[in-house]
Amino acid sequence: MKTNQIKIKNAHIHNLKNIDVTIPKEKLTVITGVSGSGKSSLAFDTLYEEGKRRYLMFSDTQFGMDSVPSFDTITGLSPTVAASQCTIRQSNPRSTVGTRTKLSAVLAMLFASYGEKDPLYDDGLPLSMEMFQRNSAKGMCARCIGKGHTRIVYEDKIYGDMEQGIGDILEGRFSIISTWHNKINDYLKAFNLSLDTKLKDLTEEQFIALKYGSPKTKFAGVNFFAPTESSTLESLQNKKKISRRQELFAFTQAYAKEAVCPKCKGTGLGVQGMYTTISGKNITELENMYISDLLQFMENYAAKSNNILAREICIKLRCMADVGLYHLSLSRSVPTLSGGEIQRLFLASYIIAEMNSIIFVFDEPTIGLHELEKGKLISIIKNLVERGNTVIAVEHDANFINNADYIIDMGPGAGIRGGEKIFEGEYKEFLKCSTSKTAPFLADKNRFKTRSSTRTATNRKLVIEGADIHNLKNITVSIPLGIMAGIAGVSGSGKSSLVSDTLVPKLKEALRDKCVSDETYNPGDIICSARLRGVQNIKKCIVIDQKPIGRSITSCPATYTGIYDRIRKLFAETEIAKDYGYSAGMFSVNSEGGCRVCHGQGVINYHIGMGNSIEVKCEACGGAGFLPEVMEVELDGMNIKDILDMTIDEAAIFFKDKDRIICNILKTMQRVGMGYITLGQKTPTISGGESQRIKLAKELSKGRNAKDILYILDEPTTGLSFYDSQKLMDLLQELVDTGNSVIVTEHDPYVLSNCDYIIELGKGGGSDGGNVIAAGTPEELKNNENSIIGGYLF
Amino acid sequence: MSINNNSALINSLNSYILQKHYRLVNSVLLYKDGRLVLEQYYNKFTKESRNNLKSVWKSIIAICAGICLDKGFIKSFDEPVSNYINIFDGSRHPYHKMLKIKHLLTMTSGIYWNGGVHYHCPMVTQCLRSGNAAGYISDIYMKDLPGNVLVYKEWDVMLASLLVQNASGMNTYDFCNEYLYKPLGIQSGRWFTAPDGLCYTIPGNNYSGMDGDTEEAKSDLSARDMAKIGLLMLNKGVYNGKRVIPEELVEQITTPASKILGHETAQGTKWLQEYGMFWWLGKDGYSANGFGGQRITVLPDKKIVCVIQAKPTASGKSYDDLLQYIIENC
């Protein structure tokens, strides 16, 4: 039976309330709705998962099953691929844009076949592709094994004085590196020494063991712990209480450094790889170019040489440029990409494959794109549809929704208050839908609240002079304080270079632990030549990025915000817990309370061959992750698992009158629009935008009456519906009204229209960017013909 | 010496090899109490045929290093490597200062090795192409402190070969020929010497474009010549009544330096074996092993020397069971 529709009957995964949906094939369908209303549950967890499962089962490449079916029937499915923004799975630091897209491999092939060898290093033997790949043993630099940098320890500085005792080395100078403490005693015991033993009294073996460690002791050696400039700084940031003297000491005293590998000059390649060129450039130079520049370079080369490989490379590069990735380079490491960039990276490879009858599922494909670039992306996606594919996108962007053939609106609220289908049909009909929370914003642009008046800037400001990192063209930027400032510009225009790579490191340098951020310190940034003035105008700086909350897979909003510690304490204080002698640790899956069989995961992975595995609910704990006896302890009729399954909204009611601090944090979470998320939601399933708002809530709940704080946010409304965006903006405005400053990096015209002052970078991306093209109030930008964003502002 | 006097043994050996499909085995030799009690050739091999040494060469280099010590070319195995290979003076890496000759011979130099137990390491290709093996190896990342961790790798034997050469002032092959092969009456072609002077026979096809297999083939030995090395070891340095190497050297080479997780056997299991100085140590004796089943096994208590030669291919085995079978049935 040929069908032109995908029919889902009775979908009920997560909060979906037994809904039936019909999606037309070979059309662009957009699923809208407020955050947490069940858009992703429908698109990804139901449609994509089932489409993938059926295809893989049919082709015998995988056999898997769900323990609980999440729908009754789905008909009309064809092979389904999805591009989501899940960044946590892309954490291999060796994975780059080049390796991900296989372009590095094709480039390597090009160099191996057509590269010109430097006569000095030409041994007359043929080149092979591996010689241009730093991850291959045939190509990597032997000195740094492909890393491009080596660690150099200043031994003279540490051991120069043979009169000093062992303790003098460690106690005095390495005091900020705490990790050696436990191990040094092991060393002293193994060789029967004391901290007072002088270096000159050590035997050769003892001295070597002190420097480099020995199998006789667990101590890895002083050299291993010798702090580099960056590690001293990093440890300072983790520790709050440190004396001023120690602090100064740490800055001036570094005993090791991560230096560019002297052998390969940072390329990570052997001599054959380093000294073979194409049109005068070696592979590392090409990999460090912006995609836009590289495209031009390769096009010239392809035209000149008429090389098929080069033309293949051009096709791929052009696709990447078309989806708005021209500002990346092939050497850019994948974990540093934003969720939107990763998604578009996948999208670029789909465009090349000339296929039809595929179902594509996208998660907010326009994220991180300038208005100008959105238009291009929309036409690319429409092109996919024209070729006979079906595209289903979860999207909040008005322009994108406008272009959809078919719309499904979910709602009405979030979490348990959502999960219903509000509307299904064509765009024109949708505008008339009165029950939708999205439609009114589309129908009437005036529904967007923009501030009638902008605040006048005070004379306090931060001035960045001579910013020249990456593509910034030695610019001077003045950011007024006491207001909401927006940094705009197309992708790759230098927004992140200005804020994350110049302003934030400089603020860290000046404010030390008064600058709160998850970012680990990068020593390269501190020596960037830009200067920052006006730091005295702020007391504290809080950087809120989109990196995942917590590092472990069991991290969740409850653990990150600190609520969990208090909840465990409440449980430990119950009569029944006291009777059994359960401590707070009993109520954590990571501690004593975790199920021994599944280690607190709730599920067990069975490998079924060919690299595939199926997830089966843990029989021992019934999927709870906790020991059964822990589950017997109840707090007002709820056990620990029940509480972790509560949404923030539900928990706020539950904990009312129980714990003031928990309530306070929960209330702030609600205010940033996170009321729908559950307390125990696992980190991998939390989007970048959600992480950012959870972090914001954590910071906001700390000090309510704080003043003179600078908040730095990166696209705070990512993934939020119009309705939720408005709520978040109200909150940020409130912050400014109480005497703080906010800097947002943003593309969304709605957010920018609400800023008091906008700095626009451009005008293009990559080498075309890096200049300030316009600055002023939104009104001023609208009338500024240099401004690109001005025309899109409300 | 009586040869082939035990037809029952030969018949059972032949049927064993047939039954196990050991088609690559070329020669099987067994000396007991100084007498050749078994000599069987397959695949048109004869007692004159020479077969690839592969890593048995490493064990020969250990003996050469020992002769260097005996003749006074080096003072002690505890000497720093940099005394003979200057580039290891610590200027490239502080660990080099601690690198001693004995670390090379026991595979504990600590130099990073990317590859398995054999020499198919892609880094070796890079090294040989660099045209300066010592320079290349001294550049390699130092993974462990010298003397601490045993990793079976080519770097150590390449450096040992270079060291013999630099210490004696002779090409390593000339040295070996003069002090070991001639006294034993061994016939061998000249070893491959790289343009930078490094004598290194094992590269095989690692020398792309240099026809490595042909180069390597020159180092081939006949089964009887391989057995001579085993007999020399069994008799604690004496061959045909003449002392060739000191007794202490045999002792030193076959004293366990460390344990190693060895090759994967045909059965897919890994075994733990002790390692001396480029010689493998077992429960009852020691052996010089090479890729594809080459081996000289010496069992001092039973006064046995057993030699197996086989065509070294990827499907080659270590023939542990064959060895066991021969020893039990002799």
Side-chain angles (χ1 to χ4, degrees):
Chain A
M1 185 188 73
K2 192 177 180 313
T3 167
N4 273 324
Q5 286 171 332
I6 304 163
K7 283 188 180 161
I8 305 173
K9 281 233 155 67
N10 200 16
H12 54 260
I13 195 169
H14 302 156
N15 66 342
L16 294 183
K17 297 203 177 113
N18 303 37
I19 56 168
D20 299 341
V21 186
T22 308
I23 297 169
K25 280 179 148 185
E26 299 179 25
K27 297 274 185 225
L28 171 58
T29 300
V30 173
I31 304 178
T32 64
V34 298
S35 308
S37 57
K39 302 183 297 294
S40 298
S41 300
L42 180 63
F44 287 93
D45 302 328
T46 308
L47 198 66
Y48 167 59
E49 284 300 327
E50 181 61 12
K52 181 180 75 171
R53 193 185 71 87
R54 284 192 196 172
Y55 174 66
L56 293 178
M57 264 182 83
F58 156 74
S59 61
D60 270 354
T61 43
Q62 194 178 40
F63 176 77
M65 55 163 139
D66 281 329
S67 37
V68 191
S70 57
F71 52 85
D72 285 358
T73 56
I74 300 184
T75 55
L77 270 182
S78 45
T80 312
V81 287
S84 69
Q85 298 176 27
C86 200
T87 48
I88 199 149
R89 284 184 210 144
Q90 316 287 343
S91 57
N92 177 2
R94 285 200 171 202
S95 166
T96 64
V97 172
T99 58
R100 193 86 230 184
T101 55
K102 310 276 187 292
L103 267 173
S104 288
V106 188
L107 261 185
M109 215 152 22
L110 182 75
F111 270 84
S113 326
Y114 304 100
E116 295 152 37
K117 286 191 262 189
D118 184 330
L120 258 178
Y121 298 92
D122 187 0
D123 55 5
L125 300 179
L127 297 169
S128 73
M129 183 178 148
E130 292 98 326
M131 287 174 181
F132 301 93
Q133 295 176 316
R134 56 199 287 174
N135 293 352
S136 147
K138 262 188 196 165
M140 72 187 177
C141 164
R143 171 83 61 99
C144 60
I145 46 177
K147 283 187 288 199
H149 55 83
T150 51
R151 184 177 149 93
I152 294 171
V153 179
Y154 308 136
E155 290 203 0
D156 290 348
K157 203 166 163 183
I158 304 174
Y159 312 106
D161 177 11
M162 293 297 279
E163 289 294 325
Q164 64 184 333
I166 295 170
D168 295 333
I169 295 180
L170 298 160
E171 293 289 359
R173 297 193 281 182
F174 290 10
S175 52
I176 45 160
I177 308 288
S178 56
T179 29
W180 60 269
H181 275 284
N182 321 324
K183 306 276 166 63
I184 185 69
N185 288 330
D186 197 65
Y187 164 79
L188 295 173
K189 228 168 94 188
F191 293 98
N192 201 12
L193 301 166
S194 83
L195 282 173
D196 298 325
T197 314
K198 293 200 162 138
L199 293 192
K200 62 170 183 173
D201 297 330
L202 296 177
T203 65
E204 194 190 345
E205 188 198 3
Q206 290 165 346
F207 195 31
I208 286 173
L210 177 69
K211 278 164 133 179
Y212 312 116
S214 138
K216 288 187 185 162
T217 154
K218 282 180 213 146
F219 183 61
V222 169
N223 279 23
F224 179 79
F225 294 106
T228 58
E229 211 169 290
S230 57
S231 62
T232 56
L233 284 169
E234 209 173 290
S235 66
L236 279 180
Q237 281 161 4
N238 296 339
K239 272 193 187 172
K240 291 280 182 279
K241 287 194 188 88
I242 225 160
S243 76
R244 184 74 191 155
R245 199 180 59 81
Q246 277 176 311
E247 206 173 288
L248 278 172
F249 205 75
F251 273 98
T252 50
Q253 304 274 321
Y255 293 95
K257 68 168 177 182
E258 283 292 340
V260 170
C261 173
K263 177 95 180 148
C264 66
K265 314 266 184 292
T267 61
L269 293 172
V271 285
Q272 315 288 346
M274 268 174 86
Y275 296 104
T276 301
T277 52
I278 284 211
S279 288
K281 294 209 182 283
N282 71 21
I283 192 164
T284 312
E285 287 171 299
L286 293 191
E287 291 198 327
N288 287 337
M289 280 186 180
Y290 293 113
I291 299 283
S292 50
D293 297 345
L294 181 60
L295 174 61
Q296 200 161 30
F297 179 90
M298 290 311 299
E299 273 175 348
N300 287 342
Y301 175 75
K304 220 169 43 190
S305 63
N306 208 11
N307 186 310
I308 296 174
L309 273 178
R311 263 190 259 125
E312 278 293 311
I313 294 172
C314 287
I315 293 172
K316 235 176 169 178
L317 287 172
R318 207 170 296 120
C319 285
M320 289 172 73
D322 281 348
V323 295
L325 293 173
Y326 46 80
H327 60 288
L328 301 181
S329 62
L330 294 184
S331 60
R332 177 79 175 267
S333 102
V334 170
T336 67
L337 298 180
S338 72
E341 285 167 338
I342 286 177
Q343 181 172 232
R344 277 179 280 135
L345 202 56
F346 287 121
L347 188 64
S349 51
Y350 297 153
I351 300 168
I352 303 166
E354 300 214 336
M355 306 250 272
N356 62 32
S357 307
I358 306 276
I359 301 173
F360 291 99
V361 187
F362 297 128
D363 187 8
E364 292 188 73
T366 63
I367 254 180
L369 284 182
H370 191 272
E371 288 300 303
L372 205 62
E373 299 156 337
K374 279 182 194 166
K376 209 184 251 174
L377 185 78
I378 291 170
S379 68
I380 287 172
I381 288 180
K382 289 194 119 175
N383 206 350
L384 274 179
V385 174
E386 259 160 45
R387 258 194 248 153
N389 299 296
T390 308
V391 176
I392 298 159
V394 173
E395 187 54 89
H396 297 296
D397 183 73
N399 203 357
F400 196 97
I401 299 173
N402 197 353
N403 276 283
D405 301 310
Y406 199 76
I407 287 165
I408 295 167
D409 190 53
M410 303 291 296
I416 44 164
R417 291 197 302 274
E420 290 168 34
K421 187 177 75 184
I422 302 295
F423 174 83
E424 182 181 332
E426 286 180 17
Y427 181 73
K428 258 185 243 155
E429 296 298 313
F430 182 50
L431 294 183
K432 294 178 206 146
C433 176
S434 56
T435 43
S436 166
K437 278 189 177 164
T438 309
F441 286 93
L442 294 168
D444 177 10
K445 285 214 166 180
N446 294 331
R447 285 294 298 257
F448 288 106
K449 261 200 301 187
T450 50
R451 300 169 56 83
S452 46
S453 64
T454 47
R455 300 178 188 86
T456 37
T458 56
N459 50 8
R460 294 180 299 138
K461 54 183 145 189
L462 279 175
V463 182
I464 306 164
E465 285 173 347
D468 58 359
I469 203 165
H470 303 154
N471 65 342
L472 296 179
K473 308 263 161 60
N474 196 9
I475 52 171
T476 296
V477 181
S478 167
I479 306 168
L481 295 173
I483 59 162
M484 177 132 80
I487 313 283
V490 297
S491 311
S493 59
K495 301 186 297 295
S496 299
S497 301
L498 182 68
V499 178
S500 317
D501 300 336
T502 308
L503 179 62
V504 173
K506 283 283 159 191
L507 282 169
K508 260 182 201 164
E509 190 186 13
L511 295 168
R512 303 283 160 80
D513 61 334
K514 290 280 191 304
C515 181
V516 184
S517 124
D518 283 358
E519 196 79 30
T520 45
Y521 211 88
N522 184 350
D525 299 339
I526 200 165
I527 47 168
C528 73
S529 57
R531 292 163 305 279
L532 180 68
R533 287 195 284 112
V535 188
Q536 70 279 5
N537 293 324
I538 49 174
K539 278 191 190 147
K540 197 175 173 185
C541 168
I542 297 172
V543 184
I544 300 163
D545 57 27
Q546 301 204 2
K547 296 238 169 72
I549 52 164
R551 283 175 202 280
S552 106
I553 193 155
T554 47
S555 308
C556 62
T559 55
Y560 184 79
T561 54
I563 298 176
Y564 204 34
D565 291 337
R566 301 197 67 88
I567 296 177
R568 289 190 330 207
K569 221 174 269 166
L570 285 179
F571 268 101
E573 280 163 11
T574 56
E575 287 304 318
I576 178 161
K578 279 186 195 158
D579 282 354
Y580 287 123
Y582 293 164
S583 68
M586 203 61 183
F587 299 94
S588 161
V589 288
N590 293 330
S591 184
E592 310 162 51
C595 170
R596 304 289 189 269
V597 180
C598 61
H599 304 287
Q601 303 269 349
V603 288
I604 297 174
N605 275 306
Y606 285 102
H607 292 279
I608 51 172
M610 298 181 80
N612 299 316
S613 62
I614 49 169
E615 242 178 33
V616 175
K617 201 188 263 183
C618 171
E619 278 182 13
C621 62
F626 286 96
L627 292 173
E629 58 263 41
V630 178
M631 310 270 286
E632 281 167 20
V633 184
E634 288 182 349
L635 187 68
D636 261 3
M638 292 285 184
N639 67 26
I640 182 76
K641 182 69 184 161
D642 296 334
I643 287 180
L644 287 177
D645 285 341
M646 283 182 185
T647 62
I648 301 288
D649 288 339
E650 291 162 341
I653 300 165
F654 181 79
F655 283 105
K656 205 175 164 212
D657 307 324
K658 281 198 185 66
D659 187 298
R660 198 177 49 80
I661 295 174
I662 293 181
C663 283
N664 184 10
I665 296 173
L666 291 174
K667 252 184 226 150
T668 341
M669 294 273 282
Q670 286 176 308
R671 290 179 69 211
V672 296
M674 298 302 295
Y676 61 87
I677 207 164
T678 64
L679 284 176
Q681 180 143 0
K682 301 243 168 78
T683 302
T685 62
I686 297 175
S687 76
E690 286 171 335
S691 303
Q692 190 180 36
R693 289 191 292 280
I694 294 169
K695 289 176 187 178
L696 181 65
K698 187 185 179 186
E699 290 302 329
L700 290 179
S701 61
K702 277 185 191 163
R704 313 219 72 187
N705 305 314
K707 272 184 71 179
D708 294 328
I709 297 183
L710 173 66
Y711 293 89
I712 299 179
L713 295 99
D714 181 18
E715 296 193 61
T717 59
T718 300
L720 283 187
S721 64
F722 305 122
Y723 175 75
D724 296 300
S725 296
Q726 205 158 58
K727 270 180 32 186
L728 181 69
M729 286 308 287
D730 289 346
L731 183 79
L732 293 177
Q733 296 289 4
E734 213 175 284
L735 277 176
V736 178
D737 288 336
T738 52
N740 300 297
S741 314
V742 174
I743 297 176
V744 289
T745 318
E746 205 27 283
H747 286 295
D748 186 354
Y750 162 64
V751 175
L752 289 170
S753 303
N754 273 297
C755 289
D756 302 302
Y757 191 84
I758 300 172
I759 296 163
E760 188 175 359
L761 296 172
K763 59 179 209 241
S767 49
D768 285 340
N771 286 309
V772 178
I773 55 167
T777 63
E779 275 311 309
E780 285 168 358
L781 250 64
K782 276 191 219 174
N783 301 321
N784 184 337
E785 55 184 34
N786 286 331
S787 171
I788 302 168
I789 193 74
Y792 297 95
L793 295 175
F794 295 113
Chain B
M1 266 194 273
S2 63
I3 301 169
N4 293 354
N5 63 352
N6 192 340
S7 59
L9 173 62
I10 289 162
N11 284 341
S12 77
L13 174 69
N14 288 350
S15 60
Y16 185 84
I17 287 176
L18 200 67
Q19 179 203 339
K20 288 273 183 178
H21 302 287
Y22 286 162
R23 295 188 193 94
L24 300 171
V25 172
N26 291 330
S27 13
V28 177
L29 239 67
L30 190 114
Y31 281 88
K32 198 170 186 177
D33 299 320
R35 286 185 319 119
L36 183 62
V37 294
L38 178 71
E39 183 174 36
Q40 257 324 89
Y41 295 103
Y42 305 90
N43 303 329
K44 295 184 183 153
F45 254 56
T46 66
K47 61 184 181 355
E48 278 83 33
S49 304
R50 295 202 264 154
N51 194 77
N52 227 308
L53 271 182
K54 291 288 168 185
S55 288
V56 170
W57 182 75
K58 291 190 177 74
S59 309
I60 294 172
I61 288 294
I63 298 174
C64 291
I67 297 172
C68 270
L69 184 64
D70 185 42
K71 305 282 175 208
F73 292 120
I74 57 176
K75 290 176 207 75
S76 137
F77 283 164
D78 278 323
E79 266 192 288
V81 168
S82 61
N83 284 5
Y84 304 96
I85 308 174
N86 300 337
I87 203 160
F88 281 85
D89 61 1
S91 57
R92 297 219 167 176
H93 199 287
Y95 285 9
H96 287 169
K97 278 188 220 157
M98 284 160 259
L99 185 60
K100 294 173 178 168
I101 298 173
K102 66 174 178 195
H103 297 146
L104 299 182
L105 301 177
T106 53
M107 296 280 190
T108 55
S109 66
I111 302 172
Y112 175 80
W113 174 249
N114 180 325
V117 267
H118 289 298
Y119 46 84
H120 305 295
C121 175
M123 284 179 84
V124 173
T125 318
Q126 252 199 54
C127 173
L128 297 175
R129 283 188 72 154
S130 75
N132 176 4
Y136 183 89
I137 299 172
S138 68
D139 253 338
I140 301 175
Y141 173 67
M142 291 294 291
K143 189 170 179 298
D144 302 296
L145 201 63
N148 284 356
V149 182
L150 185 150
V151 176
Y152 188 86
K153 56 188 171 301
E154 295 304 299
W155 309 136
D156 295 6
V157 72
M158 287 163 90
L159 289 177
S161 165
L162 199 62
L163 193 129
V164 167
Q165 185 157 318
N166 291 356
S168 67
M170 291 166 78
N171 173 288
T172 314
Y173 168 75
D174 291 335
F175 182 89
C176 176
N177 197 37
E178 184 65 33
Y179 294 107
L180 182 66
Y181 281 2
K182 271 189 192 164
L184 265 53
I186 290 176
Q187 296 294 317
S188 163
R190 216 182 152 71
W191 293 344
F192 173 70
T193 305
D196 62 343
L198 170 73
C199 229
Y200 177 52
T201 73
I202 325 188
N205 49 17
N206 271 314
Y207 271 102
S208 41
M210 287 189 197
D211 202 357
D213 280 330
T214 327
E215 293 293 349
E216 186 178 2
K218 292 179 188 163
S219 66
D220 293 354
L221 293 186
S222 69
R224 285 188 174 203
D225 279 351
M226 268 174 84
K228 287 175 185 168
I229 294 168
L231 289 168
L232 176 74
M233 294 294 281
L234 180 71
N235 296 326
K236 298 191 189 309
V238 177
Y239 184 75
N240 270 353
K242 221 180 108 200
R243 176 153 297 280
V244 179
I245 52 172
E247 188 173 345
E248 308 84 72
L249 183 65
V250 177
E251 200 68 18
Q252 203 167 359
I253 285 176
T254 55
T255 302
S258 33
K259 292 194 174 190
I260 185 171
L261 196 58
H263 307 261
E264 207 143 335
T265 63
Q267 288 74 35
T269 53
K270 285 192 170 180
W271 32 253
L272 196 68
Q273 198 172 2
E274 285 178 319
Y275 200 67
M277 287 182 167
F278 293 156
W279 281 72
W280 298 86
L281 310 182
K283 214 162 64 252
D284 311 313
Y286 44 87
S287 54
N289 296 350
F291 174 73
Q294 331 305 327
R295 64 196 311 158
I296 309 170
T297 299
V298 183
L299 305 176
D301 291 346
K302 294 185 175 148
K303 296 206 160 60
I304 283 178
V305 171
C306 183
V307 169
I308 297 176
Q309 290 183 316
K311 191 173 182 202
T313 72
S315 60
K317 297 179 174 60
S318 59
Y319 306 111
D320 290 342
D321 58 322
L322 178 61
L323 181 75
Q324 208 56 43
Y325 184 84
I326 302 164
I327 292 167
E328 276 167 14
N329 291 287
C330 272

